[in-house]
Amino acid sequence: MAADAALAPLSEKDAPKTFGERGAAVPFTTAALMWARVRQRANIKELLVPGLANTRGIYVFEWSGIPQRFTLTLFDRMLHRAIAAESNPSPMAIAQIANRVALGGAAGPDVQAAAERRIKDAESFTLLCRFVLTMRAIERMSADGTRISLAELRTDAGQQRAKKILSEIASKRNLSAQALYDRIETLSRLLGAVGIPGMPVKTPLRQLVQRMVQTTRVLREWADAGKGESIIEARLIAQVADETCQLVEQQTAIVDDNTTDIDALLQDWTTGERLMAATVVRLAWLLDGWDRLVNMWTDVADKSASDQSKSLALMSYLLPMIPARELRPEDVAKWGELSKTLYTQARTSETPATGLIDVEMMLRLEGHRAREAT
Amino acid sequence: MTAIDTPIADLNSVADIATDTAARAKAVDDAKLQQIVSLLEAALERPDGTAAKAMLDQLRPKLVEARPHRRPTLRRLLCEPFEDMLVDGATSGHVVGRIPRSAIMPTWALFLERANKDIIGRAHENPADKAAVAAALDHFADIIKMALDEGSAFATKGRSLLLKLGGETHYLALDVMLGAVRIARQIAQLKASLPPKPIAEFQDKHLEALAEVLNQVLKIAPDRIATALFVVMSRMAEPWKIATVLETLAATGRFKSSAGISEFASAALVGRLETQVEGVQALLDAAARPAGADQAAPSKDVVAATLALNAGDAVQSLAGTRDALEKAGSKGQLREVERARQRLRELVDTNIVEGAAGAIVKAMAQSGSGPALGQRPDPAALRNAELRAVALKRSAVYAGLLALDGDVLENLKRATEGVEKVASELFTQIRRGRLQGPSREAARAHIMGNARLMEILAGPEKAEQLLIRGLEAMGEQL
């Protein structure tokens, strides 16, 4: 596909087949780009913008030309530059870059403070995950039923005891103590952001899934009560959110089952590590873009039915549909039906004009970033 | 570093992570939230209901998002006819077509004190029983009417009622409530047949339904036509167009009254004027109130930004009302509009516009873009500067309607020049300072703070130019 060209109105045939083709959501604060995604095609980085010019089509622009096409906010100018240097713009990479740019203060002090909190929380979740994995490993792998509690692990003496027990376990399994520690360390770095059973706090990822479940229920009730004009959109968004949550649950179940049976995971390490890494990546792609959708709904949750209808119509424009090749064969038909409903739903766009920055929308989108980290 | 080698200091920093983060995230799932809300709502009716109310208030942001099923209570059902007229604040002065929310509880207490226990018992036990609720509603109207009649017939009873209700505003609100409750069925019919608010345009079927209800009200309670119109106007995107709606009804013969359509419409519009200004004043008061008992009151800058966001609708509405009354209103009514506009102008001028440029530049200076360059900017000062800039920018959208456009533009210009000057001095210091390490990082943060403020005041182009100049002063490129 030639860069900087508009696609014809999107149809099922044109729908992206893989997550990579769909692109990763970029947390721009420029109103016109609020649903934009980035993707890498060989050496060319592209920006995909849905909903421009009152069409359901997706416009594709060459990444380098964005500042000439749109009046970007200061944060987006910095974000645009930073993403340009990223060779693999995956959701996880974009999230890290966006947080780094926010730390610089380009989106104001609130977003900056939220970025600092996000980093601190991520470290805390990783540490907490290590504790729980250590507890679980001791519980499952020590032959004599030895246990250690989270409270004990937080003490100096508890740490020493855990270290000794893990060393004994390692030697019985023909492993060096360091290798066992490294495996736990690697797992906690991978899974800290996802969360594992036994962690007393829900990670942001699991909180997002919970908010999606709540939004699904609320939107179904909204549609059943016939509250506004966008009933079809409300049902569609609810259904896509519901189906996405089911796919997410399949992945979190993999994490949960494997970390519960941690002895098998640590023993068959090469396969286990690969499986966990792939699961974390898939989770990030499955949930990519949903935080903004859920926030958009939260913004209008206490507004009039008319405002809610407008937001729902807008939200339906960039429902993160799961590309066909990323689905199990038995799920393809179901998602195909959802895509069909989406693409036949012809509504006018509410996307604001692109000439100037929309300060209110910029502040609203910045508010989302600040709120997500609280 | 492994889990086992993690320094104990780090471990202690997460010691209370569960409590801390859980409280922040309020990560309650659907079922649990439903359970909590049901328990608290049931407790609302008990003598210790205040604590339950405080807890529900704390949960409000979560409730807005998760929308758990709310328990239908008799009190809530009795309020339904006049819910569109409920306003926050407004605890003194004359009320026209509006009811302070604070009047509900004393009125409810008065009702419980005088009501027939059997009638309210049946409705209370089963709020889904429509006949029982309708009987309770009629009973409510009878009791309120009796209390008002007694109050006007006997001065001592009037004073006692006034004291019981907690003031004149609540006393006056009784009559507004009574008016709405007397035509409760018509109001319910109106709500069911009109499209969701805000109504941009009435289709023929909506006009038909509106006329049917107004004609019913004209028969059973002609003095309550204005109450029905208040309900309709509260649902309209542009309530000042009520006169046009009524004219259409009259022209098609669907609703006619000897009182004259324009009188109805003009009276209803003027009745809303006070509400609009009081509404903005209430927003101002709410913005200035601390979020919790143990928290400080929001700064003047936070109040300005909040007011600027919320005043826009009232200003637009006032302008629409003036246009409508210029066609169909009296000179006296136009004077009322002008008085309301002046009050709104004063509110916006005092809290947002006046001294804004000075406050922005002062806050920037306080953030540390001066002699103490070695330190990172003070986030609170930066935030205050940003809030004032946001307030000013927001007010620019409607300043013309308040004849404040010149003042807003002047403040924007002066603030932009002020930030430019602060930035230039900062860049000079950076060039002289040959900064290294933390000082360099701090300087970068100051540059970004200036650029961000410039973005809000004058747009991203100027902000980027300022950022580039700042980075050049440090020997760097964007």
Side-chain angles (χ1 to χ4, degrees), chain B residues 280-281 283-285 287 302-312 347-352 391 394 398:
Chain B
V280 175
Q281 180 67 53
L283 288 168
L284 181 64
D285 294 344
V302 173
V303 173
T306 314
L307 178 69
L309 181 65
N310 294 322
L347 277 176
V348 171
D349 193 19
T350 310
N351 292 285
I352 301 170
R394 277 176 174 158
Y398 50 79

Side-chain angles (χ1 to χ4, degrees), chain B residues 18-169:
Chain B
T19 329
D20 185 25
T21 315
R24 280 198 287 127
K26 289 199 176 75
V28 186
D29 64 33
D30 254 12
K32 214 171 278 175
L33 187 68
Q34 184 69 61
Q35 206 177 5
I36 293 169
V37 170
S38 300
L39 285 170
L40 290 176
E41 290 208 317
L44 275 180
E45 306 299 323
R46 297 202 309 251
D48 59 348
T50 324
K53 186 179 179 307
M55 282 186 241
L56 274 172
D57 285 346
Q58 279 202 343
L59 274 175
R60 202 160 297 282
K62 182 80 188 164
L63 299 183
V64 166
E65 186 181 339
R67 300 257 153 178
H69 295 286
R70 305 300 297 268
R71 186 169 170 264
T73 62
L74 179 57
R75 193 174 66 224
R76 191 169 288 155
L77 293 170
L78 289 184
C79 291
E80 267 180 13
F82 49 84
E83 64 182 0
D84 288 319
M85 285 173 244
L86 289 173
V87 291
D88 292 320
T91 52
S92 65
H94 188 64
V95 276
V96 181
R98 64 204 170 99
I99 299 164
R101 213 173 282 278
S102 55
I104 293 175
M105 287 314 283
T107 309
W108 175 247
L110 176 76
F111 175 53
L112 288 184
E113 185 186 298
R114 299 187 175 196
N116 178 312
K117 303 290 176 253
D118 286 342
I119 297 176
I120 58 168
R122 275 194 296 277
H124 186 71
E125 287 302 310
N126 188 6
D129 182 343
K130 285 185 180 168
V133 172
L137 209 58
D138 288 341
H139 191 45
F140 179 75
D142 291 343
I143 284 175
I144 299 301
K145 185 170 183 322
M146 197 188 300
L148 283 170
D149 288 348
E150 283 173 8
S152 57
F154 307 102
T156 48
K157 287 197 175 182
R159 271 198 299 277
S160 151
L161 182 61
L162 198 135
L163 281 174
K164 192 181 290 243
L165 291 170
E168 192 193 9
T169 315

Side-chain angles (χ1 to χ4, degrees), chain A residues 74 211 217 301 360 366, chain B residues 30 65-67 394 452 455:
Chain A
L74 186 62
R211 291 180 71 203
R217 176 180 58 72
E360 285 303 332
E366 287 170 2
Chain B
D30 254 12
E65 186 181 339
R67 300 257 153 178
R394 277 176 174 158
R452 164 72 178 175
E455 175 176 38

Side-chain angles (χ1 to χ4, degrees), chain A residues 187 190-191 250-251 253-255 257-259 265 268-283:
Chain A
L187 274 181
L190 269 174
L191 303 178
Q250 289 168 8
Q251 300 305 305
I254 294 173
V255 171
D257 293 349
N258 279 277
T259 51
L265 180 64
D268 189 6
W269 178 241
T270 313
T271 314
E273 185 191 15
R274 203 177 301 140
L275 175 67
M276 289 299 103
T279 306
V280 171
V281 170
R282 184 167 168 77
L283 273 169

